[in-house]
Amino acid sequence: MRRWFIAAALLALPYPALAQDYPNRPVSMVVAAAAGGPIDVFTRIMAERMSPILGQRVIVENVGGGGGTLGGQRVAKAEPDGYTTLLGTVATHANPQLYSDKPLYDPLNDLTPVALIAEIPLVVIVRNDFPASTFQEFMTYAKANPGKLNYGSAGVGSASHLGCVMLDQAMGTNAQHVPYRGTGPAMQDLIGGRIDFLCDIAVTAVPSIKGGTVKGLATLAGRRMAMLPDLPTAAESGLPSLRAYTWTALFLPKGAPQAIAAKLNAATVEAMNGPGLRDQLNDLAATLVTPERRTPAYLAGFVKSEWDKWGAAIRAGGAIPK
């Protein structure tokens, strides 16, 4: 009830007045991940750059658990006053489909889109003694050994999990999922030969590929990566329609005033255009989206298409009931 009265009071104010006064205290940016990981590092870079633009500190709040759903729920249930934001990803916006019987929130209707920020590719990597050295050989082997391969992930609903679900479904195979408490333990078991492959976020996959402890086969994104220009895409290697990557975007709770969403969008875009940001994000294998993709309207359509894309794959892959 209190939330409803606050939202009603805010909406009753003239939009210019709201935008002029906002923010007058620190803003929280929730990230649905533990501290120290690549998405957390990305969030802290954006928070640091947005703070002087907004004239208030942007404080990163780590809310891990539930494969991203606890962080999403934290913001979906927050007061829609602009002081609690979400750094959303595939995990926060696709993972609720894994819990369709009792979803914690509806990412399409309980969150207000602000701005799409960046995309981060996923990379297919295998243990060094895996009997395939190219992506085509990997697909041939997987199809010839149905149900015998296994893949690790950073946990149920993580980008590394859903990326491999989509890959498995595209190949028409039936690999077994082995969830871990983060990418680190999964990578250690891959290096140790206890699992067969990972669909890992590029920032953690690239050092292991370059270090020779795993074999990189393909990127699941739509284009090759600058960090590994010789690594082909899955589309080039026999799966022309496969696109699997994670992304980052800013959201507010449902009911946030339009003027506040517009001001946050402007601050986000200004931070994205700031000097040196591209170089910082290159170290995370993240690519800023092009200017025409940075509007709230574009993000609203984008998350709907992502919901449909990932949902179709995880239903077909048996992760949730059809």
Side-chain angles (χ1 to χ4, degrees), residues 29 42-54 58 115-117 250 263-281 288 294:
M29 187 177 290
F42 181 99
T43 307
R44 292 178 188 278
I45 290 172
M46 291 302 300
E48 181 179 3
R49 286 178 171 264
M50 289 177 66
S51 292
I53 296 170
L54 290 171
V58 178
L116 183 62
I117 303 172
L250 194 65
K263 190 162 188 178
L264 274 176
N265 174 270
T268 304
V269 171
E270 184 176 343
M272 292 168 71
N273 291 332
L277 180 62
R278 289 185 183 275
D279 291 337
Q280 279 185 287
L281 297 187
L288 291 172
R294 300 175 184 181

Side-chain angles (χ1 to χ4, degrees), residues 61 67 100 118 150 220 234 260 319:
E61 180 182 349
S100 56
N150 56 56
L220 298 182
I260 289 179

Side-chain angles (χ1 to χ4, degrees), residues 74-155:
R74 162 78 176 88
V75 179
K77 304 300 183 184
E79 303 289 357
D81 55 8
Y83 290 95
T84 304
T85 68
L86 173 68
L87 198 287
T89 65
V90 166
T92 60
H93 279 69
N95 195 12
Q97 295 184 79
L98 294 169
Y99 307 97
S100 56
D101 55 338
K102 292 183 178 179
L104 297 178
Y105 61 98
D106 179 353
L108 300 183
N109 296 303
D110 293 343
L111 295 165
T112 298
V114 175
L116 183 62
I117 303 172
E119 294 176 350
I120 305 173
L122 297 175
V123 180
V124 181
I125 55 178
V126 297
R127 51 184 168 83
N128 265 340
D129 60 350
F130 191 87
S133 296
T134 67
F135 190 69
Q136 291 94 336
E137 292 173 353
F138 171 77
M139 287 195 294
T140 299
Y141 186 90
K143 291 176 181 179
N145 294 273
K148 294 183 180 179
L149 298 187
N150 56 56
Y151 64 90
S153 79

